[in-house]
Amino acid sequence: MKKYLSIAILLVLLVTIIPASLVAAAPPAQGEDYIVQADDSLSTLADKFLGNLFGYWAIMRSTNQANAEDPSYAKIDNPDAIEVGDKLRIPAKEDADAFMADFDPNMFKIGDLFAEGEAGQLVVGSWWTAGGEAEGLAGMLNIYGEPYPDVEIVNATVAGGAGTNFKAQLATRLVGGAPPDTFQLHAGLEVETYSPNEYLQPVDDIYASEGLEEAFPPDLLQLLEYEGHYWGVPANIHRSNVLWYNEAVFEANGVTPPANFEEFVAVADTLQAAGIQPFVLGTKDGWEAAHIFEDVLAGTLGAEAYRGLWTGATSWEDPAVTQALENFKMMLSYANPDHPALTWDGAGEYLINGKGGMMIMGDWTDGWFTSKAFDGYGWAPSPGTAGTFVALSDSFALPKDAPNMENAQNWLKVVGSKAGQEAFNPQKGSICARTDCDPALFNEYLQSAMVDWSQDAIVPSMAHGAAAKESWLTDYKDVMTLFVASGDVAAAQTGLQQACVDAGVCQ
Ligand code: GAL
């Protein structure tokens, strides 16, 4: 039943509504209810009832509208994921045709597929679909929903770690005039990608009204400021350079987390001899190797020289970069062969089922493990990075064309608030951007991250928008993807240098 029409935008669109207690536009005057049977798909139903394979958008819309009045109807978050037994509202053909006549599947207003609340909608764009991050976002949306029960909240996610799919789709939507009301944006130079002066609304007034300059640490504020304005309100701080390991596997093999690359080899050899995959990663989405390599760079060069890579103060032709590539190549020699087929969380399953020993990934992994009810994990700074915190921050930004501007502004206030951040971060696996959250709400890992954040050398993440602009990140990612396949250290170093030159930072 699940074979779907190949419309790219559809394949990546995962949309959910929270909550359902909202006032909908009246369902179509005629039309009929239908209960999903085995082997049904929305497109075959659209063909059958409406004589138009693409009419599934109209079914999605009318079912969502019916759901807002009567929860016995399904909520269709993703048109590719209807379930047997779901109750659909098939619109009258006339209504469906009228809707489809104006519907552009490549550039529709997301809100058009959902009910309208009495106070409009809030369409929130992000890529948080994995366990932990999805729950964290839902927690913060619930905090928003309390004072604004008449706003229909549309959780418009596009799956793909690090925003691989989301960012491209968002850029098209901003340019095409069909943006969400607010969207996930990394603090740092990522904002440049979206031509903020043209497409975004500065949020300085929200910083002023909510006292946010007093709520966030100065380093973060500096990262958030671009061309004299704030463009996003940060929800969190994430750490990139964490080595996660399976505690039982480590204990059974008498090893402890490796503090440096020599120790990594020793631990990996021991695990390998015991039939455990020593090091696991997924490279499916094209950013994961770039992420791990930034941590290897920090662990090989040290905080100061790592920072210099992004400002031109450290040369990419330095022998230390050669060494970092050698270190990464060594780690990859212990890696799971199926990594090209796995996402970051897919790779994490190796740790949960005890078949894998170690993995380097950001601390959204803590939220993910928690969402999987797995508590047999330990953590340490990735090799060579004790005392260094490779940091990134997720903020929410405001498009100039936000369809529900006031709702979006109120959302940003929640994002910046203590209540919003305390609802979000413990589940997300991040610490608050604010300095006044209650540590007791956070698990042991996150409490340790808070301590490290307050005392470590803080350096920016490249893979997640903090260190450099997006075009440089794209080139850097491409080099690392090739490197994972080829293992060619010299070619990778030349490519990394070239990427820096192309970014206008190196000579
Ligand atoms: C990062 C983002 C995190 C997490 C991660 C995995 O870019 O900042 O919040 O979502 O990607 O997708």
Side-chain angles (χ1 to χ4, degrees):
M1 123 175 164
K2 313 288 175 190
K3 260 275 146 276
Y4 236 82
L5 300 170
S6 61
I7 292 175
I9 199 166
L10 161 64
L11 292 177
V12 293
L13 183 74
L14 252 170
V15 194
T16 51
I17 296 182
I18 305 168
S21 57
L22 299 156
V23 175
Q30 288 138 8
E32 58 192 294
D33 294 343
Y34 179 83
I35 306 295
V36 173
Q37 311 291 312
D39 296 331
D40 278 342
S41 73
L42 269 192
S43 62
T44 54
L45 293 174
D47 192 28
K48 179 171 159 198
F49 286 99
L50 306 171
N52 175 2
L53 278 170
F54 294 98
Y56 59 83
W57 295 108
I59 300 179
M60 179 174 173
R61 174 175 182 262
S62 63
T63 302
N64 284 337
Q65 288 182 330
N67 168 273
E69 283 203 333
D70 173 358
S72 73
Y73 287 94
K75 278 189 289 192
I76 305 182
D77 311 333
N78 173 351
D80 204 13
I82 56 170
E83 300 292 341
V84 171
D86 279 354
K87 181 172 162 190
L88 307 180
R89 180 71 185 162
I90 312 279
K93 179 165 167 32
E94 207 177 51
D95 295 328
D97 287 350
F99 173 69
M100 292 305 294
D102 291 334
F103 186 78
D104 176 353
N106 295 311
M107 192 50 64
F108 58 90
K109 292 212 161 68
I110 297 167
D112 285 354
L113 295 176
F114 296 89
E116 275 286 319
E118 262 172 16
Q121 298 177 326
L122 174 73
V123 180
V124 180
S126 82
W127 58 86
W128 288 330
T129 58
E133 46 194 35
E135 286 88 344
L137 177 58
M140 194 155 58
L141 290 172
N142 283 336
I143 298 284
Y144 171 86
E146 283 166 15
Y148 304 110
D150 294 334
V151 175
E152 173 85 350
I153 301 173
V154 178
N155 184 7
T157 53
V158 179
T164 31
N165 304 318
F166 176 84
K167 289 189 214 167
Q169 198 190 97
L170 175 75
T172 316
R173 286 189 167 282
L174 284 171
V175 175
D181 291 312
T182 178
F183 67 90
Q184 185 185 347
L185 171 73
H186 285 128
L189 283 172
E190 187 172 295
V191 69
E192 202 173 274
T193 332
Y194 301 122
S195 307
N197 287 307
E198 207 167 332
Y199 297 113
L200 305 186
Q201 175 87 20
V203 293
D204 305 335
D205 50 342
I206 293 175
Y207 275 66
S209 72
E210 306 309 295
L212 296 183
E213 285 193 322
E214 288 72 53
F216 306 136
D219 285 355
L220 178 61
L221 289 168
Q222 210 185 331
L223 193 62
L224 287 155
E225 199 179 324
Y226 176 78
E227 296 193 343
H229 295 290
Y230 296 117
W231 302 93
V233 175
N236 66 358
I237 301 292
H238 264 307
R239 184 176 195 171
S240 156
N241 59 316
V242 187
L243 179 131
W244 307 96
Y245 61 94
N246 179 309
E247 280 186 317
V249 165
F250 266 41
E251 219 175 282
N253 291 282
V255 292
T256 52
N260 53 45
F261 296 100
E262 293 74 46
E263 288 182 23
F264 183 94
V265 172
V267 171
D269 283 341
T270 304
L271 296 179
Q272 188 142 289
I276 305 284
Q277 189 69 59
F279 181 59
V280 298
L281 79 164
T283 53
K284 188 172 177 211
D285 284 332
W287 61 276
E288 303 90 337
H291 174 119
I292 298 165
F293 187 59
E294 74 183 15
D295 299 330
V296 174
L297 281 168
T300 309
L301 279 72
E304 200 50 40
Y306 167 87
R307 208 183 268 124
L309 289 170
W310 315 112
T311 62
T314 304
S315 169
W316 284 91
E317 291 169 323
D318 195 282
V321 175
T322 321
Q323 186 55 52
L325 285 161
E326 293 290 358
N327 287 340
F328 189 31
K329 186 170 173 173
M330 172 278 290
M331 294 169 108
L332 289 169
S333 72
Y334 292 103
N336 48 313
D338 62 347
H339 64 79
L342 299 179
T343 56
W344 68 269
D345 44 328
E349 296 286 353
Y350 269 98
L351 258 57
I352 292 185
N353 64 29
K355 293 186 177 150
M358 304 176 268
M359 138 170 160
I360 293 176
M361 191 32 67
D363 48 10
W364 40 90
T365 310
D366 173 76
W368 181 74
F369 282 148
T370 305
S371 80
K372 306 282 277 183
F374 174 62
D375 60 6
Y377 63 99
W379 60 87
S382 61
T385 65
T388 299
F389 191 115
V390 184
L392 60 127
S393 168
D394 295 300
S395 79
F396 278 88
L398 190 60
K400 258 189 192 144
D401 290 341
N404 300 277
M405 183 57 87
E406 196 186 324
N407 294 345
Q409 285 167 326
N410 289 332
W411 161 250
L412 295 182
K413 291 177 186 170
V414 170
V415 170
S417 72
K418 186 168 186 291
Q421 302 212 348
E422 288 182 342
F424 176 66
N425 287 297
Q427 302 188 82
K428 175 71 170 85
S430 42
I431 59 175
C432 290
R434 295 183 66 99
T435 51
D436 59 357
C437 286
D438 179 1
L441 298 170
F442 292 78
N443 68 15
E444 199 187 332
Y445 164 74
L446 290 168
Q447 289 186 4
S448 81
M450 286 176 203
V451 172
D452 291 349
W453 170 245
S454 71
Q455 64 190 28
D456 281 4
I458 307 298
V459 298
S461 161
M462 174 59 165
H464 306 280
K469 61 182 175 185
E470 189 79 7
S471 59
W472 189 359
L473 170 58
T474 303
D475 291 349
Y476 161 84
K477 279 195 297 197
D478 289 348
V479 172
M480 294 321 297
T481 298
L482 273 179
F483 179 70
V484 170
S486 73
D488 187 336
V489 169
Q493 192 160 10
T494 306
L496 291 168
Q497 162 68 9
Q498 189 57 45
C500 182
V501 171
D502 292 349
V505 173
C506 297
Q507 302 280 306

Short mmCIF file of all heavy atoms in Angstrom, two decimals, residues 43-82:
data_model
loop_
_atom_site.label_atom_id
_atom_site.label_comp_id
_atom_site.label_asym_id
_atom_site.label_seq_id
_atom_site.Cartn_x
_atom_site.Cartn_y
_atom_site.Cartn_z
N SER A 43 -3.21 7.96 -2.66
CA SER A 43 -3.33 8.29 -4.09
C SER A 43 -4.30 7.35 -4.81
O SER A 43 -5.06 7.80 -5.66
CB SER A 43 -1.96 8.28 -4.77
OG SER A 43 -1.39 7.02 -4.70
N THR A 44 -4.32 6.08 -4.43
CA THR A 44 -5.28 5.20 -5.11
C THR A 44 -6.70 5.56 -4.69
O THR A 44 -7.64 5.51 -5.50
CB THR A 44 -5.00 3.70 -4.83
OG1 THR A 44 -4.96 3.50 -3.42
CG2 THR A 44 -3.71 3.23 -5.45
N LEU A 45 -6.86 5.98 -3.45
CA LEU A 45 -8.20 6.42 -3.01
C LEU A 45 -8.61 7.69 -3.75
O LEU A 45 -9.77 7.86 -4.14
CB LEU A 45 -8.22 6.66 -1.50
CG LEU A 45 -8.03 5.40 -0.65
CD1 LEU A 45 -7.92 5.76 0.83
CD2 LEU A 45 -9.18 4.41 -0.87
N ALA A 46 -7.62 8.58 -3.94
CA ALA A 46 -7.92 9.82 -4.66
C ALA A 46 -8.33 9.50 -6.09
O ALA A 46 -9.27 10.10 -6.63
CB ALA A 46 -6.70 10.73 -4.65
N ASP A 47 -7.65 8.52 -6.65
CA ASP A 47 -7.99 8.13 -8.02
C ASP A 47 -9.41 7.55 -8.07
O ASP A 47 -10.23 7.92 -8.90
CB ASP A 47 -6.96 7.09 -8.49
CG ASP A 47 -7.06 6.85 -9.99
OD1 ASP A 47 -7.49 7.78 -10.70
OD2 ASP A 47 -6.70 5.74 -10.43
N LYS A 48 -9.67 6.69 -7.08
CA LYS A 48 -10.96 6.00 -7.07
C LYS A 48 -12.13 6.96 -6.83
O LYS A 48 -13.13 6.95 -7.53
CB LYS A 48 -10.92 4.94 -5.97
CG LYS A 48 -12.17 4.14 -5.80
CD LYS A 48 -11.91 2.98 -4.83
CE LYS A 48 -13.22 2.49 -4.24
NZ LYS A 48 -12.99 1.69 -3.03
N PHE A 49 -11.98 7.83 -5.82
CA PHE A 49 -13.12 8.68 -5.44
C PHE A 49 -13.17 9.98 -6.21
O PHE A 49 -14.23 10.55 -6.42
CB PHE A 49 -13.06 9.00 -3.94
CG PHE A 49 -13.44 7.84 -3.08
CD1 PHE A 49 -12.47 7.05 -2.49
CD2 PHE A 49 -14.78 7.52 -2.86
CE1 PHE A 49 -12.81 5.98 -1.69
CE2 PHE A 49 -15.13 6.45 -2.06
CZ PHE A 49 -14.14 5.66 -1.47
N LEU A 50 -12.01 10.49 -6.59
CA LEU A 50 -11.97 11.84 -7.16
C LEU A 50 -11.52 11.85 -8.61
O LEU A 50 -11.50 12.89 -9.26
CB LEU A 50 -11.03 12.74 -6.34
CG LEU A 50 -11.33 12.80 -4.83
CD1 LEU A 50 -10.23 13.53 -4.08
CD2 LEU A 50 -12.68 13.51 -4.59
N GLY A 51 -11.10 10.67 -9.10
CA GLY A 51 -10.64 10.59 -10.48
C GLY A 51 -9.36 11.35 -10.72
O GLY A 51 -9.08 11.81 -11.83
N ASN A 52 -8.56 11.51 -9.66
CA ASN A 52 -7.33 12.29 -9.78
C ASN A 52 -6.33 11.75 -8.77
O ASN A 52 -6.52 11.90 -7.56
CB ASN A 52 -7.65 13.77 -9.50
CG ASN A 52 -6.40 14.65 -9.48
OD1 ASN A 52 -5.29 14.16 -9.72
ND2 ASN A 52 -6.59 15.92 -9.19
N LEU A 53 -5.26 11.12 -9.26
CA LEU A 53 -4.25 10.54 -8.36
C LEU A 53 -3.69 11.56 -7.37
O LEU A 53 -3.33 11.25 -6.26
CB LEU A 53 -3.09 9.98 -9.19
CG LEU A 53 -3.25 8.60 -9.80
CD1 LEU A 53 -2.11 8.32 -10.78
CD2 LEU A 53 -3.27 7.53 -8.72
N PHE A 54 -3.59 12.80 -7.84
CA PHE A 54 -2.99 13.84 -7.00
C PHE A 54 -3.98 14.44 -6.00
O PHE A 54 -3.62 15.26 -5.17
CB PHE A 54 -2.41 14.95 -7.86
CG PHE A 54 -1.25 14.47 -8.67
CD1 PHE A 54 -1.41 14.11 -10.00
CD2 PHE A 54 0.00 14.34 -8.10
CE1 PHE A 54 -0.35 13.63 -10.74
CE2 PHE A 54 1.07 13.86 -8.83
CZ PHE A 54 0.90 13.50 -10.16
N GLY A 55 -5.22 14.00 -6.10
CA GLY A 55 -6.24 14.54 -5.20
C GLY A 55 -6.03 14.13 -3.75
O GLY A 55 -6.79 14.53 -2.87
N TYR A 56 -4.96 13.36 -3.49
CA TYR A 56 -4.73 12.97 -2.08
C TYR A 56 -4.47 14.18 -1.20
O TYR A 56 -4.72 14.16 0.00
CB TYR A 56 -3.61 11.94 -1.94
CG TYR A 56 -2.27 12.37 -2.47
CD1 TYR A 56 -1.41 13.13 -1.70
CD2 TYR A 56 -1.86 11.99 -3.74
CE1 TYR A 56 -0.17 13.52 -2.19
CE2 TYR A 56 -0.64 12.37 -4.24
CZ TYR A 56 0.21 13.14 -3.47
OH TYR A 56 1.41 13.52 -3.95
N TRP A 57 -3.96 15.26 -1.81
CA TRP A 57 -3.77 16.47 -1.00
C TRP A 57 -5.12 16.96 -0.47
O TRP A 57 -5.21 17.43 0.66
CB TRP A 57 -3.14 17.57 -1.86
CG TRP A 57 -1.76 17.28 -2.36
CD1 TRP A 57 -1.41 16.98 -3.64
CD2 TRP A 57 -0.55 17.27 -1.60
NE1 TRP A 57 -0.04 16.79 -3.72
CE2 TRP A 57 0.52 16.96 -2.49
CE3 TRP A 57 -0.24 17.50 -0.26
CZ2 TRP A 57 1.83 16.88 -2.08
CZ3 TRP A 57 1.07 17.41 0.14
CH2 TRP A 57 2.10 17.10 -0.76
N ALA A 58 -6.13 16.86 -1.33
CA ALA A 58 -7.46 17.33 -0.92
C ALA A 58 -8.03 16.41 0.16
O ALA A 58 -8.70 16.88 1.09
CB ALA A 58 -8.39 17.38 -2.14
N ILE A 59 -7.75 15.11 0.06
CA ILE A 59 -8.23 14.19 1.10
C ILE A 59 -7.50 14.48 2.42
O ILE A 59 -8.10 14.51 3.49
CB ILE A 59 -8.01 12.71 0.69
CG1 ILE A 59 -8.76 12.41 -0.61
CG2 ILE A 59 -8.45 11.78 1.80
CD1 ILE A 59 -8.59 10.98 -1.11
N MET A 60 -6.20 14.72 2.31
CA MET A 60 -5.42 15.04 3.51
C MET A 60 -6.02 16.28 4.19
O MET A 60 -6.25 16.31 5.39
CB MET A 60 -3.96 15.29 3.10
CG MET A 60 -3.05 15.66 4.24
SD MET A 60 -1.32 15.77 3.64
CE MET A 60 -0.52 16.42 5.10
N ARG A 61 -6.30 17.26 3.37
CA ARG A 61 -6.81 18.52 3.92
C ARG A 61 -8.17 18.33 4.58
O ARG A 61 -8.39 18.75 5.71
CB ARG A 61 -6.92 19.52 2.78
CG ARG A 61 -7.56 20.83 3.15
CD ARG A 61 -7.48 21.77 1.96
NE ARG A 61 -8.04 23.06 2.26
CZ ARG A 61 -9.26 23.43 1.94
NH1 ARG A 61 -10.06 22.58 1.30
NH2 ARG A 61 -9.69 24.62 2.24
N SER A 62 -9.09 17.67 3.88
CA SER A 62 -10.43 17.58 4.45
C SER A 62 -10.44 16.67 5.67
O SER A 62 -11.18 16.90 6.62
CB SER A 62 -11.45 17.12 3.40
OG SER A 62 -11.13 15.83 2.96
N THR A 63 -9.57 15.65 5.67
CA THR A 63 -9.51 14.78 6.84
C THR A 63 -8.94 15.55 8.04
O THR A 63 -9.45 15.45 9.16
CB THR A 63 -8.64 13.53 6.53
OG1 THR A 63 -9.22 12.85 5.41
CG2 THR A 63 -8.59 12.59 7.72
N ASN A 64 -7.91 16.35 7.80
CA ASN A 64 -7.34 17.14 8.90
C ASN A 64 -8.36 18.15 9.43
O ASN A 64 -8.44 18.39 10.63
CB ASN A 64 -6.07 17.86 8.43
CG ASN A 64 -4.90 16.91 8.34
OD1 ASN A 64 -4.88 15.87 8.99
ND2 ASN A 64 -3.92 17.24 7.51
N GLN A 65 -9.12 18.72 8.53
CA GLN A 65 -10.13 19.67 8.98
C GLN A 65 -11.21 18.96 9.80
O GLN A 65 -11.67 19.46 10.82
CB GLN A 65 -10.75 20.37 7.77
CG GLN A 65 -9.77 21.34 7.15
CD GLN A 65 -10.34 22.09 5.98
OE1 GLN A 65 -11.22 21.57 5.29
NE2 GLN A 65 -9.87 23.29 5.76
N ALA A 66 -11.60 17.77 9.34
CA ALA A 66 -12.60 17.01 10.08
C ALA A 66 -12.06 16.61 11.45
O ALA A 66 -12.76 16.67 12.47
CB ALA A 66 -13.01 15.77 9.28
N ASN A 67 -10.78 16.25 11.48
CA ASN A 67 -10.15 15.83 12.74
C ASN A 67 -10.18 16.94 13.79
O ASN A 67 -10.35 16.69 14.98
CB ASN A 67 -8.71 15.39 12.48
CG ASN A 67 -7.92 15.24 13.75
OD1 ASN A 67 -7.34 16.19 14.24
ND2 ASN A 67 -7.92 14.04 14.33
N ALA A 68 -10.01 18.17 13.33
CA ALA A 68 -9.98 19.28 14.28
C ALA A 68 -11.33 19.44 14.99
O ALA A 68 -11.41 19.95 16.10
CB ALA A 68 -9.60 20.57 13.58
N GLU A 69 -12.41 18.96 14.37
CA GLU A 69 -13.73 19.02 14.99
C GLU A 69 -14.10 17.73 15.66
O GLU A 69 -14.85 17.70 16.63
CB GLU A 69 -14.79 19.32 13.92
CG GLU A 69 -14.80 20.75 13.49
CD GLU A 69 -16.13 21.14 12.89
OE1 GLU A 69 -16.81 20.24 12.34
OE2 GLU A 69 -16.48 22.33 12.96
N ASP A 70 -13.59 16.62 15.10
CA ASP A 70 -13.99 15.31 15.58
C ASP A 70 -12.77 14.37 15.50
O ASP A 70 -12.41 13.89 14.43
CB ASP A 70 -15.13 14.79 14.68
CG ASP A 70 -15.51 13.36 14.99
OD1 ASP A 70 -14.87 12.75 15.88
OD2 ASP A 70 -16.43 12.84 14.33
N PRO A 71 -12.15 14.13 16.65
CA PRO A 71 -10.90 13.36 16.66
C PRO A 71 -11.04 11.91 16.21
O PRO A 71 -10.03 11.20 16.11
CB PRO A 71 -10.43 13.43 18.12
CG PRO A 71 -11.37 14.29 18.83
CD PRO A 71 -12.54 14.62 17.97
N SER A 72 -12.28 11.47 15.92
CA SER A 72 -12.38 10.10 15.39
C SER A 72 -11.82 10.03 13.97
O SER A 72 -11.49 8.97 13.46
CB SER A 72 -13.83 9.58 15.44
OG SER A 72 -14.61 10.22 14.45
N TYR A 73 -11.71 11.18 13.32
CA TYR A 73 -11.03 11.22 12.02
C TYR A 73 -9.52 11.17 12.25
O TYR A 73 -9.02 11.64 13.28
CB TYR A 73 -11.37 12.50 11.26
CG TYR A 73 -12.79 12.52 10.72
CD1 TYR A 73 -13.83 13.09 11.46
CD2 TYR A 73 -13.09 11.93 9.49
CE1 TYR A 73 -15.14 13.08 10.98
CE2 TYR A 73 -14.39 11.92 9.01
CZ TYR A 73 -15.41 12.48 9.76
OH TYR A 73 -16.69 12.47 9.29
N ALA A 74 -8.82 10.62 11.25
CA ALA A 74 -7.36 10.54 11.38
C ALA A 74 -6.75 11.94 11.28
O ALA A 74 -7.36 12.86 10.72
CB ALA A 74 -6.79 9.67 10.28
N LYS A 75 -5.55 12.09 11.86
CA LYS A 75 -4.72 13.26 11.58
C LYS A 75 -3.69 12.78 10.57
O LYS A 75 -2.94 11.85 10.86
CB LYS A 75 -3.97 13.70 12.84
CG LYS A 75 -4.80 14.55 13.74
CD LYS A 75 -3.95 15.14 14.85
CE LYS A 75 -3.52 14.08 15.84
NZ LYS A 75 -2.93 14.63 17.07
N ILE A 76 -3.68 13.38 9.42
CA ILE A 76 -2.71 12.92 8.42
C ILE A 76 -1.49 13.84 8.46
O ILE A 76 -1.49 14.94 7.94
CB ILE A 76 -3.31 12.87 7.01
CG1 ILE A 76 -4.58 12.02 7.02
CG2 ILE A 76 -2.30 12.30 6.01
CD1 ILE A 76 -5.24 11.85 5.68
N ASP A 77 -0.47 13.32 9.13
CA ASP A 77 0.77 14.08 9.26
C ASP A 77 1.59 13.94 8.00
O ASP A 77 2.22 14.87 7.53
CB ASP A 77 1.60 13.51 10.41
CG ASP A 77 0.78 13.35 11.66
OD1 ASP A 77 -0.19 14.10 11.80
OD2 ASP A 77 1.12 12.48 12.48
N ASN A 78 1.59 12.73 7.48
CA ASN A 78 2.41 12.39 6.33
C ASN A 78 1.52 11.58 5.40
O ASN A 78 1.04 10.51 5.78
CB ASN A 78 3.59 11.56 6.83
CG ASN A 78 4.43 11.00 5.70
OD1 ASN A 78 4.06 11.10 4.53
ND2 ASN A 78 5.55 10.42 6.06
N PRO A 79 1.25 12.08 4.21
CA PRO A 79 0.30 11.38 3.34
C PRO A 79 0.75 9.97 2.96
O PRO A 79 -0.05 9.18 2.47
CB PRO A 79 0.21 12.29 2.11
CG PRO A 79 1.37 13.18 2.17
CD PRO A 79 1.79 13.29 3.60
N ASP A 80 2.01 9.68 3.21
CA ASP A 80 2.52 8.35 2.88
C ASP A 80 2.34 7.37 4.03
O ASP A 80 2.74 6.22 3.92
CB ASP A 80 4.01 8.46 2.54
CG ASP A 80 4.48 7.33 1.65
OD1 ASP A 80 3.62 6.61 1.11
OD2 ASP A 80 5.70 7.15 1.52
N ALA A 81 1.77 7.83 5.11
CA ALA A 81 1.77 6.98 6.31
C ALA A 81 0.38 6.78 6.89
O ALA A 81 0.19 6.82 8.10
CB ALA A 81 2.71 7.58 7.35
N ILE A 82 -0.61 6.56 6.04
CA ILE A 82 -1.93 6.25 6.60
C ILE A 82 -1.94 4.79 7.05
O ILE A 82 -1.18 3.96 6.55
CB ILE A 82 -3.07 6.52 5.60
CG1 ILE A 82 -2.86 5.76 4.29
CG2 ILE A 82 -3.21 8.00 5.34
CD1 ILE A 82 -4.06 5.81 3.37
#
